[in-house]
Amino acid sequence: MNSWMNDVAIVGVGNTRFGSFPDTDALGLGIEALANALDDCGLGFSDIDGLVTNRAGSYQRIGEALGINPRWSLQLEVSGRMSGASIVEAALAVSRGLAGCVALVYGNDGKSRRVNYGGTERIASDPFAPWGFTSPGAVHAMMFQMHSHRFGTTSEQLAEVAVAFRKNARLNPLAVRREPMTIDDHQNSRYVCEPLRLFDYCQINDGGVALIITSVDRAKDLKKPPIRIAGIGMADSFCDSTVPPTDFWYPALRECADQVYGTSGIAREDVDVLMAYDNFTPTVLFTLEGLGFCEQGESGHFVEKGRLSLEGSFPTNTSGGHLSESYMQGWALNVEAVRQLRGECGERQVAGCEVAQYACATPRCISLIYTR
Amino acid sequence: MTQSSQAASNGTRAPILPRPDVWAKPFWSFADRGQLALQRCSSCRSYRYPPGPVCPKCRSGSFGWEPVSGHGRVISWVVFHQNYYPGTLFEVPYNVAMVALDEGVNLIGNLTEAGDESVRIGLEVEAVFVPISDEVKLLQFRPAPKRAAQ
């Protein structure tokens, strides 16, 4: 297909370990991940002339800390929807010649800094704080309650998602949560915001993730097979978005699906592995429905019997995802997609992986399809 | 001291006070009078929430604030078991409900005065205003009296 995306390639990926690292910070972790990404492709810091930063600090400070004066740089808001968006922005910049080689840098010190995703530190920005309603988990709990009422989706079906990703994580040496989890374990975990339980929530950890994007021409000389962005789908769902939405982002996801399969010319049946943004288990269900892998309301049945595990027929979040590897706001999921396509995933490699899809369902829905 | 730590040291439980922007202030003035009011577009007559400068449907900048019936239906609910607000009025477990008002706008509130009724989707509710401080009354919902058959 004739497309600007054919000009660019992801040539390097890198990450740190995930855990609690109080002796460094988001800046240090982002830079460590970047060093790994440069090693991965054989480029040096001096090759970087573009910078996209997310959560690792201000873009200016990161440039300063690295000794880089970029031609082009961008800092995106701290939210999971921005990982996919960052990749698109970097690709656009390279394809239009605004930068020759872009480093994307993400760092997160949420665990050691004890960042809470709700409560008193968010009072100024939580519109419903006076009613005690706070945290993204609560928003997803409210949405899942509606999905359950409307379609009969059960907590046990959410457990299937958590259990499948935990199973995948057991094959990932970097995953933070690797102890076995059964459906009963999930069901016995305490309610956080009922109807969601502890094991429906992602794992906050410290870590850094980085990618290097450059032109396909440049990519030929580098260490690893270049990965192309074959398709992009984006749709924002901002209307009626302050109160939890009642549509599970289904229209926006359908729009995303039409674009990502349309622009790539790849059918959803040809997707070999899916990376679905899993801040919470129900988000994965909404994503499966919106992308059209099943009918709306059928995602609960779709994920039963471990379908999303590496042993199942629809491997998803092969690293263990946010639920078991670590919450890196989508960044590590995109890196896992790249590694699957390169054949670097060891025991968790999906055989014959040629098409990897990333999707994120939030008030901004985005999906990227990657191929070699 | 922060609001909540002061409350804890006083042995009382602090409310979480709203921080309305310029568009939302009238909501709280009406609340103080025990009335649920919504912004309404003067042009196309749509109600909107949250309040803002223009109508999201027709983009008219002309609006008023109108008291509404206060009647609605619970369309979703959660129960917090994790305490995000230590030292405040919110002692776990507590519920939060999403209510679809008859006027076509969805709001957040807590279900109160429920007696034997538990929060459930489809429960018909009516707005009430509960003082949480000397200056602020908070919108809450209680089960609505059963309506007479039409």
Side-chain angles (χ1 to χ4, degrees), chain A residues 4-307:
Chain A
W4 65 270
M5 297 178 287
N6 291 333
D7 301 336
V8 308
I10 299 174
V11 296
V13 294
N15 55 268
T16 65
R17 291 171 306 131
F18 308 118
S20 181
F21 311 124
D23 293 336
T24 183
D25 65 359
L27 176 66
L29 290 162
I31 288 177
E32 184 184 332
L34 175 58
N36 291 342
L38 289 169
D39 244 7
D40 182 56
C41 59
L43 285 170
F45 287 97
S46 55
D47 292 308
I48 298 168
D49 64 355
L51 199 55
V52 176
T53 70
N54 190 238
R55 194 165 185 161
S58 84
Y59 62 134
Q60 178 175 329
R61 178 69 193 117
I62 292 167
E64 178 181 57
L66 289 170
I68 295 175
N69 288 324
R71 289 168 54 206
W72 175 87
S73 63
L74 190 60
Q75 174 179 334
L76 278 78
E77 106 181 333
V78 177
S79 65
R81 61 193 80 170
M82 292 307 172
S83 49
S86 296
I87 290 167
V88 171
E89 295 288 331
L92 278 168
V94 169
S95 101
R96 303 328 298 166
L98 295 176
C101 178
V102 176
L104 295 86
V105 181
Y106 173 82
N108 183 339
D109 53 22
K111 178 147 193 172
S112 56
R113 288 352 181 237
R114 299 179 194 279
V115 166
N116 247 325
Y117 283 78
T120 45
E121 61 190 61
R122 302 248 161 162
I123 271 186
S125 56
D126 266 345
F128 303 117
W131 293 276
F133 188 72
T134 183
S135 84
V139 172
H140 288 75
M142 201 66 98
M143 293 174 71
F144 174 67
Q145 189 79 273
M146 289 189 269
H147 198 274
S148 181
H149 180 80
R150 188 165 153 193
F151 301 116
T153 326
T154 64
S155 177
E156 286 86 349
Q157 289 166 336
L158 294 181
E160 289 274 6
V161 175
V163 167
F165 293 172
R166 178 60 60 90
K167 213 166 176 184
N168 296 345
R170 283 169 62 69
L171 301 174
N172 178 1
L174 285 188
V176 173
R177 300 304 296 267
R178 300 174 68 206
E179 65 274 27
M181 185 200 291
T182 64
I183 303 283
D184 280 347
D185 292 333
H186 173 280
Q187 293 293 284
N188 290 332
S189 69
R190 64 179 172 88
Y191 279 130
V192 178
C193 187
E194 183 184 349
L196 294 186
R197 298 176 179 281
L198 184 64
F199 289 161
D200 291 311
Y201 281 61
C202 59
Q203 298 290 311
I204 295 173
N205 284 286
D206 300 345
V209 184
L211 296 94
I212 310 289
I213 292 181
T214 187
S215 66
V216 282
D217 281 342
R218 197 111 175 246
K220 289 172 191 151
D221 301 326
L222 301 176
K223 277 157 78 170
K224 299 284 178 72
I227 301 303
R228 17 184 321 262
I229 301 170
I232 295 174
M234 295 172 85
D236 290 334
S237 194
F238 294 161
C239 297
D240 299 315
S241 60
T242 294
V243 180
T246 57
D247 67 356
F248 319 109
W249 301 304
Y250 186 71
L253 286 165
R254 288 306 309 262
E255 162 98 37
C256 251
D258 288 345
Q259 290 175 29
V260 80
Y261 301 125
T263 54
S264 62
I266 292 170
R268 64 175 63 76
E269 293 72 31
D270 295 328
V271 174
D272 295 313
V273 70
L274 176 67
M275 305 300 167
Y277 195 87
D278 56 338
N279 44 357
F280 307 99
T281 49
T283 320
V284 177
L285 300 192
F286 304 155
T287 303
L288 291 167
E289 292 179 1
L291 293 179
F293 289 112
C294 62
E295 294 294 311
Q296 193 181 25
E298 291 300 307
S299 55
H301 295 302
F302 186 88
V303 301
E304 282 171 339
K305 299 193 174 58
R307 194 173 193 158

Side-chain angles (χ1 to χ4, degrees), chain A residues 13 15 168 171-172 209 211 273-275 310 316-321 325 330-346 348-350 353 356 370:
Chain A
V13 294
N15 55 268
N168 296 345
L171 301 174
N172 178 1
V209 184
L211 296 94
V273 70
L274 176 67
M275 305 300 167
L310 282 153
T316 299
N317 293 13
T318 51
S319 58
E325 180 191 47
W331 289 87
L333 287 175
N334 281 283
V335 164
E336 179 76 354
V338 167
R339 291 193 171 128
Q340 282 286 353
L341 290 166
R342 289 171 172 184
E344 290 178 349
C345 288
R348 62 186 198 279
Q349 181 64 47
V350 171
C353 184
Y370 300 106

Side-chain angles (χ1 to χ4, degrees), chain B residues 34-103:
Chain B
Q35 284 186 310
L36 178 60
L38 295 175
Q39 230 185 0
R40 191 173 199 183
C41 177
S42 306
S43 199
C44 73
R45 313 299 290 142
S46 309
Y47 292 100
R48 61 178 178 267
Y49 186 86
V54 298
C55 175
K57 296 199 167 39
C58 74
R59 288 73 183 217
S60 166
S62 181
F63 62 87
W65 278 86
E66 290 186 15
V68 293
S69 67
H71 191 272
R73 258 182 321 114
V74 172
I75 59 170
S76 191
W77 58 270
V78 297
V79 175
F80 279 78
H81 293 260
Q82 177 151 318
N83 193 348
Y84 288 94
Y85 296 117
T88 71
L89 295 175
F90 293 98
E91 267 187 324
V92 293
Y94 63 89
N95 75 67
V96 180
M98 208 164 127
V99 172
L101 297 178
D102 288 356
E103 290 79 7

